[in-house]
């Protein structure tokens, strides 16, 4: 091979690595924001009904999205109109169904059970990918998911395996498992998103579709069930700030980063980054809530990083002679 050809191949390989690196950085940032969501929402669950939280987080998100995506919408709406079913499935599963199921799970089971069962998402992503797509997971990906899952379980159980033997399964546990399956399905549907649509437009329209179902649920909670916007009104502004952050960070930026990451690396590789969420939650709780750093945190992080490396590492390709 000539020197010029070697230079061309090297440039192409370097260029192909750049979007992958960006995708992995976006998926890590996404996990950080969703991990912070668990920490910030800890107090909201006691004062804000889940219908209100689900509704207002997406109202905040679309209000922030509109100024940025408005110039793309006229073009993208025509493209998305030709893919109505795909857009419906993306908005229904990712915005409406997941929001409702994950908050219902949090209201009806322990944090340990919710965290553990929702953390099975990468396994469901791999199963769906193996069954429904041509992107069949490699053995290394399966191994990486299991290793990273062991790291997540270590953190959730605080290094005590007997925690799992004491778990009492209730309705909330079924909902937590369903939330993992819903998110895996959403990740698979993202592969069917119309090509050429700007990521901001995709999140905006997905949010609007989800709000078509969240709004009647919220109105029902207000009118029929008599649930107020806040169950505690003194003071109200701390909860409003928390809802704004959840809408701006986890909902707005988190979904945009996740959608873009999945489009670049596929749902199977992206799914394993979900295991970083409890790691980020633990780190933020240690940093901002004064919780102690334990050995099981470090062990879990090592297993998580090792599993993600196994999933995302590139297979060696024979060099041309």
């Amino acid at each position: 091979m000539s020197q010029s050809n070697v230079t061309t191949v090297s440039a192409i390989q370097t260029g192909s690595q750049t979007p992958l690196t960006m995708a992995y950085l976006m998926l890590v940032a996404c996990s950080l924001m969703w991990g912070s969501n668990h920490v910030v929402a800890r107090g909201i669950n006691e004062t804000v009904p889940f219908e209100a939280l689900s509704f207002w987080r997406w109202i905040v998100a679309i209000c922030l999205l509109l100024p940025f995506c408005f110039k793309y919408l006229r073009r993208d709406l025509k493209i998305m109109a030709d893919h109505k079913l795909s857009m419906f499935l993306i908005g229904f599963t990712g915005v409406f169904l997941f929001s409702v199921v994950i908050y219902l799970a949090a209201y009806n089971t322990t944090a340990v059970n919710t965290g553990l069962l929702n953390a099975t998402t990468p396994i469901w992503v791999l199963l769906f990918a193996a069954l429904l797509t041509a992107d069949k997971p490699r053995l290394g990906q399966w191994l990486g998911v299991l290793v990273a899952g062991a790291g997540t379980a270590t953190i959730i159980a605080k290094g005590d395996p007997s925690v799992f033997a004491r778990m009492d399964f209730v309705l909330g546990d079924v909902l937590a498992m369903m939330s993992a399956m819903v998110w895996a399905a959403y990740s698979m549907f993202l592969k069917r998103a119309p090509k050429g649509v700007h990521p901001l437009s995709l999140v905006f329209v997905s949010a609007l579709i989800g709000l078509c179902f969240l709004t009647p649920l919220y109105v029902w909670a207000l009118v029929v069930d008599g649930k107020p916007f806040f169950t505690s009104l003194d003071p109200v502004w701390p909860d409003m700030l928390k809802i704004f952050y959840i809408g701006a960070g986890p909902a707005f930026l988190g979904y945009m980063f996740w959608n873009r990451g999945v489009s670049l690396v596929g749902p199977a590789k992206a799914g394993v980054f979900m295991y970083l969420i409890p790691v980020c939650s633990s780190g933020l709780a240690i940093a901002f809530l004064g919780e102690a750093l334990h050995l099981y945190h470090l062990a879990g992080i090592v297993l998580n990083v090792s599993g993600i490396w196994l999933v995302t590492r590139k297979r060696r390709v024979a060099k041309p002679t």
Side-chain angles (χ1 to χ4, degrees), residues 104-121:
L104 278 175
Y107 274 70
N108 288 279
T109 189
T110 64
V112 170
N113 289 26
T114 302
L116 176 64
L117 295 170
N118 187 245
T120 62
T121 298

Side-chain angles (χ1 to χ4, degrees), residues 152-306:
T152 298
T154 300
I155 293 173
I156 292 172
K158 299 182 178 179
D160 180 10
S162 65
V163 167
F164 304 122
R166 299 194 299 267
M167 290 174 68
D168 296 321
F169 288 93
V170 294
L171 174 62
D173 299 324
V174 177
L175 293 169
M177 182 67 77
M178 287 176 59
S179 72
M181 298 174 70
V182 168
W183 190 259
Y186 166 68
S187 300
M188 300 303 300
F189 291 141
L190 281 176
K191 294 293 289 182
R192 298 177 54 180
K195 305 299 182 184
V197 170
H198 195 277
L200 291 171
S201 298
L202 181 63
V203 177
F204 182 84
V205 174
S206 301
L208 286 181
I209 292 171
L211 279 169
C212 289
F213 298 92
L214 288 173
T215 302
L217 181 67
Y218 180 46
V219 172
W220 179 277
L222 288 173
V223 177
V224 178
D225 290 345
K227 294 181 180 179
F229 179 81
F230 294 100
T231 57
S232 174
L233 297 175
D234 186 23
V236 73
W237 64 266
D239 282 345
M240 294 179 68
L241 286 177
K242 292 174 185 176
I243 291 176
F244 178 81
Y245 170 76
I246 290 173
F252 170 32
L253 290 175
Y255 272 67
M256 188 171 65
F257 287 170
W258 178 263
N259 291 358
R260 183 58 176 161
V262 169
S263 70
L264 290 173
V265 305
K269 284 186 177 180
V272 75
F273 283 84
M274 296 286 287
Y275 282 136
L276 285 178
I277 294 175
V279 175
C280 295
S281 297
S282 299
L284 291 168
I286 291 166
F288 296 104
L289 301 180
E291 295 186 5
L293 176 66
H294 296 285
L295 185 60
Y296 63 78
H297 286 119
L298 299 178
I301 290 171
V302 168
L303 288 169
N304 265 280
V305 173
S306 300

Side-chain angles (χ1 to χ4, degrees), residues 12-28 138 191 257 260-266 269-270 273 308 311-315:
I12 292 173
Q13 290 175 341
T14 303
S16 66
Q17 285 293 96
T18 302
L20 287 180
T21 302
M22 288 301 300
Y24 294 145
L25 288 175
M26 285 188 289
L27 291 169
V28 170
R138 296 178 285 106
K191 294 293 289 182
F257 287 170
R260 183 58 176 161
V262 169
S263 70
L264 290 173
V265 305
K269 284 186 177 180
F273 283 84
I308 291 172
V311 170
T312 58
R313 70 190 178 101
K314 292 184 71 65
R315 288 175 290 183

